[in-house]
Amino acid sequence: MLGYIRFELIRTARDGGYVVFGLIMPVVMYLVFTDLGLAPGDEHDAAIYTMVSMAAYGGLGAAFNNGSGIAEDRAAGWLRRLRLTPLTPAQVIAGKVVTGAVGVVPGIAAVLLTGALVNHVTLTPGRWLAIVVLLWAGTIPFSLLGLGNGYRLTGQSAAMANLMTMLVLSIVGGLWVPVSGFPSWLRALAEWTPSNGYASLSWHVAFGAAPGAREVAMLTVWLVVFGLYAMYGYRRAGRTG
């Protein structure tokens, strides 16, 4: 299991898509939104709010990228080789989830460091720690969704599906534009998306409030749904790849 996780981490670090969507883009977008005055609110609050939003966006990018190479693995016969090992389906998926959980850390850290060093965001140590933990742990459902797409779809289709899903969840979930500016019907929809619940936990903490129980419950439900989807995709891929 540890050898499998180490192997997957090395592959992830060499992936250009991971570097672009998980590291570079979130930092660039954060600087654009804040330094060009595109973020709403006063300069201090905008820097904090957008920092959390773009860190969440970076977490999503890394999490979905983790599942995009699965279809290529299937075509290369890698999944067949894994089934010859003692690893169970649950262990294979868990290994990929662990890989994704480790892979999201650099992107989240890069945006938070940019907020602290460039825009001089200051929070208490407890708030910084809580934000890091919540942003890190909250990516697990999205890793599972990306894996499910990778197991279910083929080649370029899986990569495109994960990219489009990430962008839609980021936009509708309010990571690019606050949901307060949405029409009422879209705002109501956004509040039930996993991406909005994910970022809301850290938005609350960043501004001194406790994480909402509603967001925790909603993310838990999405975690179960996406976990079942990933397991179904892996078992189905066993019949074709």
Side-chain angles (χ1 to χ4, degrees):
M1 184 77 172
L2 292 177
Y4 172 57
I5 293 173
R6 183 170 59 251
F7 173 76
E8 291 291 348
L9 286 173
I10 293 172
R11 294 178 69 199
T12 299
R14 294 174 177 173
D15 188 346
Y18 165 76
V19 174
V20 172
F21 292 105
L23 295 175
I24 298 176
M25 282 295 294
V27 172
V28 170
M29 291 180 66
Y30 174 62
L31 293 174
V32 168
F33 280 128
T34 54
D35 291 1
L36 296 183
L38 300 180
D42 63 66
E43 185 175 339
H44 176 264
D45 289 352
I48 295 176
Y49 186 92
T50 310
M51 178 187 71
V52 172
S53 298
M54 290 300 104
Y57 174 62
L60 258 64
F64 277 106
N65 185 76
N66 184 46
S68 294
I70 294 293
E72 296 178 5
D73 289 345
R74 289 170 53 201
W78 173 238
L79 295 186
R80 282 196 298 270
R81 295 188 184 96
L82 282 179
R83 293 188 189 95
L84 299 177
T85 71
L87 294 173
T88 66
Q91 287 177 317
V92 171
I93 293 175
K96 289 293 290 183
V97 169
V98 170
T99 302
V102 175
V104 302
V105 173
I108 293 171
V111 176
L112 297 183
L113 283 173
T114 302
L117 298 177
V118 177
N119 288 323
H120 310 294
V121 173
T122 56
L123 300 172
T124 64
R127 287 190 195 178
W128 280 116
L129 178 61
I131 289 172
V132 170
V133 171
L134 289 171
L135 287 173
W136 168 71
T139 59
I140 295 176
F142 305 103
S143 288
L144 290 168
L145 176 56
L147 290 175
N149 287 339
Y151 288 130
R152 289 277 289 111
L153 303 175
T154 58
Q156 193 173 8
S157 298
M160 185 60 66
N162 278 336
L163 176 60
M164 292 305 299
T165 302
M166 178 195 69
L167 293 177
V168 169
L169 287 177
S170 297
I171 296 171
V172 178
L175 302 187
W176 289 12
V177 179
V179 297
S180 58
F182 288 1
S184 57
W185 65 270
L186 185 56
R187 184 165 60 249
L189 174 64
E191 290 174 352
W192 288 101
T193 60
S195 50
N196 183 261
Y198 165 54
S200 291
L201 295 175
S202 295
W203 283 328
H204 289 321
V205 171
F207 289 101
R214 175 182 174 277
E215 286 85 358
V216 173
M218 182 172 61
L219 271 182
T220 302
V221 171
W222 284 114
L223 172 67
V224 173
V225 171
F226 294 153
L228 292 174
Y229 174 58
M231 184 68 72
Y232 166 74
Y234 180 80
R235 293 185 181 280
R236 191 173 188 277
R239 298 193 292 270
T240 59

